[in-house]
Structure formats: structure tokens, C-alpha cells
């Protein structure tokens, strides 16, 4: 059982942790100082918006993939997703499986079009494809709602890492993360973000290679793991799983709907999340953007199950009565990692924190500067002016997010809360973007009504059904918006300013530049890996 200490109105989750040796402290200091120095070095490549916010659109597929994985598999995932597995069992493996499938869909339906027009955001493409209100709805909601929530989550998750593994005060931890992340990101722009993310990717996963075999050995291997889990935790097809209970039906139908709920949630994220879409926007060309996105799905399908979900399940067997599920991974790391390697893991987790903080910060600067400030405040200033405005806005943004981080400190499961907010806003925009990319018949009237009704219904469901019903809410909202866009589009006439993608016709005639043979091959491999993983999990973790 974890001992909780209270400071102010909320619990400070301190589980002790090991004492670092001198060489481990040196490694942490060298890593942090190195990031700031690298950011200062990359400052010379931040002359204008394209270089500051999108690294001059020069990233190769491998760097895109490393940066995207490092950004997504952050402290929230290491702690929150492992805690999610701790609480709900092996069925959360549906997350990485459906993510791989969702990335393929986004790669086909959205990525080539936003890269072809050299956009700064999905909202810019939605404006061109449909109308200005559609694009503005996305840009303003992401800039002033989701980004504050997401950054607050990153700051809190990172501070929880330092608090639980090093015993640092939570507020001191928040301050350290904010100062370091802000410094090298604002200095070096997106070039510093992408470059450091590649390094952080390695630092995150190399130390955790030891965690998987040792932790499995501690519970007697896969068979011991299955035997030690509760019934609903050890099955991929449970008829009475708590997550399936959010649907109005029971039995196999509920499990079937839950699978599609996971898929709707994944599609919503990979088709609408601005900070991950920033990677393909920074690619060398449209094909490179697609390939980099597809590479991400393969890494995600392999790394998340091995290094996050399985350890979370091991923790469920070893520590079955934790008061806070997010403590599962820190407890396991503290038990498994010997002195010397423990500090390396801490460095890896700090790297994961900063790789998310820097990405969200740079993405906020991008949307605020290019999609709001330049369009509505000052449209004819020098390039250096917009770079300076972006830096000032980034500092203000980071300070404001401290309050959001405080709110997350009062929640039992940060991962569940974040996913719940995602289920409120992302399915609507993902559905509009996908329909707009794949179907030329979709109209701006359909898109506007889809967004308005979709967001209103999603907010209502959030209050009516609660955080836990995030998969049913994602599925309902996604299908609802698709239905609205299609129905209204069939009843309305396209406007002259709309720009259809011509996706279906070009694909049927073989003239499509968006689906090259290389992209098709990687997409098929990705789908194959996802279904192979699903089949293996169902066989191993039978009901």
C-alpha cells in the first residue's frame, strides 16, 4: 500500500524511490544541460516561421517517426497508461493495436493533403477544403482549450515522475520541467524539438529493455502473469469487463462495441491531434510525410505492449492493492532497477517528459502565431516579428499551464481524465477531416453542422456518462458526426470556394500521387502487424 502525504488540498504521491549515486546525478545534469546547449545551437536556424515551427519542412521519415513516438510515449503513458493496464488488464492492448490501424487511415485520408498545401495546421487545410469557420473552429479550440489541458497534463505527469522516483517536491519538479522545456524549445524551435526527440527516444527505451524480462521473471513468466491477474484483467474477450459496462448492452456485443470504441478513439487522436500532425507537416515532401507517419504506427504497436502494458500488468500481480493506479510503474522500477541503472531510467523518463513538453509548446507557438496572431492581429510584419511573438506567447502559455497541472494533481487517474477530454473534442474534427479527405461530395454546410452538433452532443455525453465512458462516447460522437456530414452534404450544394481532394477518382484511375507503391506496401505491413498482435493476444489471453 502506498503512503500518501498531503500538502495543501491535494495528495502528494510520494513512494520513496532509491537514492541516486553520484554518477547518476552527473548523467541527469549532463542530459539537461546538453538539451539547453543544443537549443541555443539551433537558435541560428530560427529565422522565420517555417524554420522555427516546422524545421524548414526538411525532416526525413525516420526523424519524424522517432520524434512522434518520443512525443506520444511520454510520462503520461509510462505512468498513466501503465496504470490503466494495472486497473483494467490486458484488454488495454487494444490501444496500440487500434492506433496502428488509425494511423494508416489518417495517412491515406489526411496526411498527403495537409502536406501538399504546406499548411501549418489541420485547421488551415480544413479552411481550404471546406470554409473558414470550419478551420477556425479547429484552430481556436486546439489553441485555447486542448493545448492548455494537454500541457498541464504533461507538466503534472513529469513532476510526478520526479516526485515518485526522486522524492522531489511536486512544485519544485514542475518548476524544473517548465524552465528546462521552455528554454531549449524557445531557443531552438522545432529543429531543436525534433533533434532532441530522436535522442530522447533512445534514452527512454534502452534502460527499459531490462525491465520487461526481469519483471516477467518476478511473476513466473507469461503463465504466472495470467494466473495472477483477476479474471477480467486476464482476457482479451471478457463479457463482464468494467470498460464494456459503459455500453447499454452486455455480453459479446458489448465487447465488440468496446473494440470499435477503442478504434474510434484512436482515429480521433491520430487524425486530429495537432502536435502529432506537425511531424508530417515538417516532412521533406508528401510521400515522406506519409511514410514517417506509418513508421510511427509500427514502433507504437511494438513498444507500447512490451515496455508499458506488460509491466503494468506485472505490477497488478505484485502490488494488487495500490490506492493510485498511476503508481504501478514507479513501484516496479524502484523494485527492479539496481543502483546505477535506476538513474538511467530516471533520465529516460525525464527525456519522455521533455519530449512531450517541447512538442506541445512548439505546436502552441505555431498555431497561435500563424493561425491566430498573423491572421487576426498583424498580417504584414517582418519574419523576425512573428518568431519573437511566438516566443513570448510560449512563455505566457507555460506559466498559465501551471494551474492546469494543479487540477490534474487532484485526479486519481490522469490518463483517464485526458482520454475523456480527448473523447469530447477530437472525434468531431477527425470525422469531418476524414470524410472531407475521402469524399468529394462532402460540403462546408455539412462540416459546419457536423462540428456544431458533434461538439454539443460530446459535451453533453461527457457530463451525462462521465470520464469512464470515454470509448462509448468516442464511438457515438464519431459515427454521429459522419452521419451528419454525409446526410447534410447530400442535401446541400457545394460552394465555389471548396477544394475537394479528388481522392476516389484518382485512386480508381491509378493517377493518385497520394498512394505511391511504397506507401501502399508499408500500410499493408502495418495492418498486418496490428492484426497479428490482436490474434496473438486473443490466443494467449483467452476468455
Amino acid at each position: 500500500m502506498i503512503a500518501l502525504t498531503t500538502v495543501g488540498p491535494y495528495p502528494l504521491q510520494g513512494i520513496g524511490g532509491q537514492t541516486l549515486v553520484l554518477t547518476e546525478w552527473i548523467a541527469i545534469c549532463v542530459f539537461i544541460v546538453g538539451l539547453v546547449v543544443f537549443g541555443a545551437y539551433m537558435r541560428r536556424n530560427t529565422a522565420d516561421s517555417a524554420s522555427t515551427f516546422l524545421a524548414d519542412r526538411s525532416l526525413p521519415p525516420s526523424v519524424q517517426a522517432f520524434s512522434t513516438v518520443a512525443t506520444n510515449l511520454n510520462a503520461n503513458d509510462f505512468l498513466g497508461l501503465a496504470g490503466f493496464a494495472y486497473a483494467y488488464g490486458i484488454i488495454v492492448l487494444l490501444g496500440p493495436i487500434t492506433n496502428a490501424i488509425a494511423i494508416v487511415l489518417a495517412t491515406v485520408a489526411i496526411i498527403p493533403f495537409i502536406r501538399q498545401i504546406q499548411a501549418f495546421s489541420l485547421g488551415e487545410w480544413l479552411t481550404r477544403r471546406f470554409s473558414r469557420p470550419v478551420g477556425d473552429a479547429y484552430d481556436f479550440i486546439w489553441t485555447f482549450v486542448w493545448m492548455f489541458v494537454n500541457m498541464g497534463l504533461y507538466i503534472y505527469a513529469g513532476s510526478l515522475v520526479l516526485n515518485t522516483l526522486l522524492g522531489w517536491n511536486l512544485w519544485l519538479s514542475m518548476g524544473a520541467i517548465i524552465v528546462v522545456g521552455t528554454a531549449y524549445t524557445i531557443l531552438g524551435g522545432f529543429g531543436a524539438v525534433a533533434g532532441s526527440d530522436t535522442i530522447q527516444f533512445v534514452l527512454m527505451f534502452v534502460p527499459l529493455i531490462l525491465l520487461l524480462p526481469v519483471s516477467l521473471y518476478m511473476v513466473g513468466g507469461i503463465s504466472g502473469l495470467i494466473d495472477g491477474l483477476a479474471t477480467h484483467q486476464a482476457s482479451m474477450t471478457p463479457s463482464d469487463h468494467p470498460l464494456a459496462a459503459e455500453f447499454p448492452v452486455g455480453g459479446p456485443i458489448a465487447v465488440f462495441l468496446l473494440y470499435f470504441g477503442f478504434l474510434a478513439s484512436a482515429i480521433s487522436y491520430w487524425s486530429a491531434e495537432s502536435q502529432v500532425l506537425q511531424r508530417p507537416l515538417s516532412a521533406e515532401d508528401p510521400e515522406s510525410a506519409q511514410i514517417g507517419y506509418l513508421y510511427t504506427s509500427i514502433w507504437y504497436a511494438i513498444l507500447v505492449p512490451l515496455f508499458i502494458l506488460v509491466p503494468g500488468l506485472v505490477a497488478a500481480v505484485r502490488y494488487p492493492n495500490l490506492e493510485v493506479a498511476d503508481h504501478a510503474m514507479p513501484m516496479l522500477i524502484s523494485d527492479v532497477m539496481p543502483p546505477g541503472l535506476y538513474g538511467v531510467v530516471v533520465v529516460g523518463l525525464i527525456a519522455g517528459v521533455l519530449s512531450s513538453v517541447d512538442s506541445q509548446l512548439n505546436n502552441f507557438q505555431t498555431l497561435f502565431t500563424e493561425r491566430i496572431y498573423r491572421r487576426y492581429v498583424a498580417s504584414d510584419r517582418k519574419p523576425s516579428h512573428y518568431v519573437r511573438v511566438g516566443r513570448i506567447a510560449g512563455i505566457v502559455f507555460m506559466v498559465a499551464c501551471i494551474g492546469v497541472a494543479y487540477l490534474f494533481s487532484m485526479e486519481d487517474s490522469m490518463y483517464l481524465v485526458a482520454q475523456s477530454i480527448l473523447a469530447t473534442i477530437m472525434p468531431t474534427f477527425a470525422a469531418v477531416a476524414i470524410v472531407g479527405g475521402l469524399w468529394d461530395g462532402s460540403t462546408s454546410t455539412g462540416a459546419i453542422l457536423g462540428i456544431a452538433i458533434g461538439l454539443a452532443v460530446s459535451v453533453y455525453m461527457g457530463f451525462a456518462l462521465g470520464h469512464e465512458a470515454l470509448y462509448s462516447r468516442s464511438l457515438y460522437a464519431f459515427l454521429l458526426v459522419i452521419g451528419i456530414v454525409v446526410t447534410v452534404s447530400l442535401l446541400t450544394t457545394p460552394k465555389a470556394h471548396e477544394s475537394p481532394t479528388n481522392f476516389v477518382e484518382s485512386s480508381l484511375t491509378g493517377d493518385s500521387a497520394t498512394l505511391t507503391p511504397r506507401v501502399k506496401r508499408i500500410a499493408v505491413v502495418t495492418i498486418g502487424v496490428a492484426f497479428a498482435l490482436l490474434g496473438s493476444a486473443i490466443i494467449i489471453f483467452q476468455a
Side-chain angles (χ1 to χ4, degrees):
M1 189 77 67
I2 295 175
L4 299 181
T5 57
T6 302
V7 177
Y10 58 95
L12 270 184
Q13 295 92 337
I15 66 172
Q18 300 181 20
T19 301
L20 300 184
V21 299
L22 178 61
T23 54
E24 294 172 324
W25 281 115
I26 293 175
I28 292 174
C29 292
V30 168
F31 169 67
I32 292 175
V33 172
L35 283 180
V36 177
V37 171
F38 181 62
Y41 170 77
M42 292 297 291
R43 185 186 178 94
R44 61 195 180 97
N45 296 323
T46 57
D48 55 21
S49 295
S51 58
T52 302
F53 303 135
L54 294 175
D56 277 328
R57 302 188 193 273
S58 61
L59 297 187
S62 57
V63 174
Q64 293 174 55
F66 285 136
S67 180
T68 306
V69 172
T71 296
N72 281 277
L73 300 183
N74 48 64
N76 174 35
D77 281 327
F78 277 116
L79 274 64
L81 187 51
F84 199 50
Y86 174 94
Y88 293 104
I90 190 60
I91 201 167
V92 300
L93 182 62
L94 287 172
I97 292 171
T98 54
N99 279 335
I101 298 171
I103 289 173
V104 172
L105 178 60
T107 298
V108 172
I110 297 174
I111 299 303
F113 310 122
I114 61 175
R115 179 59 186 83
Q116 281 175 349
I117 68 169
Q118 297 192 349
F120 278 92
S121 76
L122 177 64
E124 186 172 347
W125 176 73
L126 289 174
T127 297
R128 180 174 296 196
R129 172 62 183 87
F130 292 112
S131 62
R132 187 167 182 169
V134 177
D136 282 356
Y138 176 89
D139 287 329
F140 276 88
I141 289 175
W142 247 255
T143 303
F144 296 114
V145 178
W146 174 248
M147 286 192 181
F148 280 85
V149 170
N150 213 24
M151 180 60 87
L153 172 64
Y154 290 156
I155 293 172
Y156 172 64
S159 64
L160 188 59
V161 168
L162 298 178
N163 175 241
T164 55
L165 296 181
L166 296 181
W168 287 15
N169 175 273
L170 198 67
W171 291 105
L172 173 63
S173 302
M174 286 185 186
I177 290 166
I178 290 171
V179 169
V180 175
T182 303
Y184 78 86
T185 303
I186 288 182
L187 283 173
F190 191 68
V193 172
S196 60
D197 280 353
T198 303
I199 300 170
Q200 290 160 350
F201 173 87
V202 177
L203 290 174
M204 276 192 291
F205 289 107
V206 169
L208 294 178
I209 291 175
L210 178 64
L211 183 64
L212 177 64
V214 174
S215 60
L216 275 177
Y217 175 79
M218 294 168 68
V219 295
I222 293 294
S223 60
L225 176 64
I226 296 174
D227 292 340
L229 292 171
T231 302
H232 75 274
Q233 292 177 314
S235 174
M236 283 292 293
T237 57
S239 58
D240 58 348
H241 196 280
L243 290 177
E246 64 185 74
F247 292 97
V249 295
I253 297 178
V255 176
F256 179 79
L257 291 175
L258 179 60
Y259 274 48
F260 278 93
F262 267 92
L263 180 60
S265 179
I267 292 172
S268 301
Y269 180 82
W270 292 100
S271 300
E273 171 56 288
S274 182
Q275 66 171 332
V276 298
L277 291 176
Q278 192 174 9
R279 271 69 186 166
L281 286 174
S282 65
E284 299 168 312
D285 52 61
E287 184 188 54
S288 174
Q290 290 178 289
I291 292 172
Y293 222 49
L294 291 172
Y295 283 171
T296 299
S297 67
I298 296 175
W299 281 109
Y300 207 85
I302 296 171
L303 294 177
V304 171
L306 293 179
F307 295 129
I308 299 179
L309 297 187
V310 172
L313 295 175
V314 170
V317 175
R318 287 185 58 81
Y319 325 111
N321 298 309
L322 295 182
E323 293 181 2
V324 179
D326 291 338
H327 288 165
M329 183 67 88
M331 288 283 288
L332 193 62
I333 291 173
S334 183
D335 277 357
V336 170
M337 290 298 174
L341 281 178
Y342 185 78
V344 178
V345 172
V346 173
V347 171
L349 290 176
I350 294 175
V353 172
L354 293 176
S355 68
S356 299
V357 169
D358 60 20
S359 298
Q360 191 67 88
L361 171 56
N362 186 266
N363 192 234
F364 171 82
Q365 293 176 276
T366 303
L367 263 67
F368 177 82
T369 305
E370 293 299 318
R371 299 298 298 155
I372 295 174
Y373 181 82
R374 184 191 288 268
R375 298 171 68 210
Y376 293 101
V377 180
S379 60
D380 57 351
R381 300 296 182 88
K382 294 180 180 179
S384 59
H385 173 79
Y386 298 110
V387 173
R388 183 167 61 254
V389 167
R391 287 170 175 162
I392 295 172
I395 294 173
V396 174
F397 170 65
M398 291 296 286
V399 173
C401 286
I402 295 175
V404 183
Y406 169 82
L407 295 177
F408 271 109
S409 71
M410 295 187 289
E411 298 289 345
D412 288 335
S413 176
M414 56 185 170
Y415 182 82
L416 187 61
V417 173
Q419 292 295 303
S420 176
I421 297 172
L422 181 154
T424 302
I425 63 174
M426 290 194 183
T428 293
F429 289 99
V432 169
I434 288 173
V435 174
L438 296 181
W439 183 40
D440 289 351
S442 55
T443 66
S444 58
T445 305
I448 291 172
L449 287 177
I451 290 173
I453 298 174
L455 289 177
V457 172
S458 294
V459 170
Y460 169 76
M461 288 193 296
F463 286 105
L465 303 180
H467 289 321
E468 292 76 10
L470 61 98
Y471 296 111
S472 60
R473 287 163 46 202
S474 294
L475 181 60
Y476 298 155
F478 187 74
L479 295 178
L480 171 67
V481 174
I482 288 178
I484 292 172
V485 174
V486 171
T487 301
V488 174
S489 295
L490 291 173
L491 299 175
T492 56
T493 303
K495 304 293 192 299
H497 57 72
E498 296 176 13
S499 301
T501 63
N502 198 33
F503 174 81
V504 174
E505 182 179 348
S506 61
S507 297
L508 292 175
T509 59
D511 296 330
S512 175
T514 65
L515 288 176
T516 65
R518 188 180 179 193
V519 169
K520 291 178 182 178
R521 287 195 299 271
I522 300 175
V524 170
V525 171
T526 300
I527 295 294
V529 170
F531 279 102
L533 182 61
L534 176 61
S536 300
I538 291 176
I539 292 173
I540 296 173
F541 297 92
Q542 298 180 9

